[in-house]
Amino acid sequence: MVNAVLFTVIVVNAVSYDADPVPVTAGAYPASVRQAFIAACTSTGGTTTICECGFEEIERTIPYDEFVEIDRDLRLGGAIPPEFFAALSRC
């Protein structure tokens, strides 16, 4: 399941960078990111419960700015950071 969620992170940001032009509070995730994350995660085989849990753990433990940096690094072939795995492993 973790692999499906990791794939979802890349897809979510590809879909949602400009989807929510309203400024968000520091560290908050735009609603469009949550919606895209859940949709992408469930479309790759995750259950709604697991996908929502994965998103909530990521949102709770990884600031949005860091999430965006992780996505950019992954797109450039970077390694998935341990804190990302830790967040997802709680689901």
Side-chain angles (χ1 to χ4, degrees):
M1 180 59 223
V2 170
N3 287 337
V5 175
L6 294 176
F7 172 75
T8 300
V9 170
I10 296 168
V11 172
V12 167
N13 278 317
V15 170
S16 64
Y17 273 129
D18 296 322
D20 196 348
V22 177
V24 295
T25 37
Y29 284 45
S32 60
V33 171
R34 179 184 178 85
Q35 293 166 347
F37 184 97
I38 303 301
C41 180
T42 55
S43 76
T44 60
T47 66
T48 300
T49 301
I50 293 292
C51 295
E52 287 176 350
C53 175
F55 181 82
E56 289 166 6
E57 286 297 318
I58 289 168
E59 185 177 43
R60 186 177 70 78
T61 60
I62 300 172
Y64 183 66
D65 292 346
E66 186 177 337
F67 176 84
V68 171
E69 288 178 27
I70 291 169
D71 176 69
R72 287 183 186 148
D73 289 345
L74 289 172
R75 289 175 195 240
L76 297 172
I80 299 163
E83 65 268 23
F84 199 80
F85 279 116
L88 297 174
S89 70
R90 291 189 272 284
C91 296

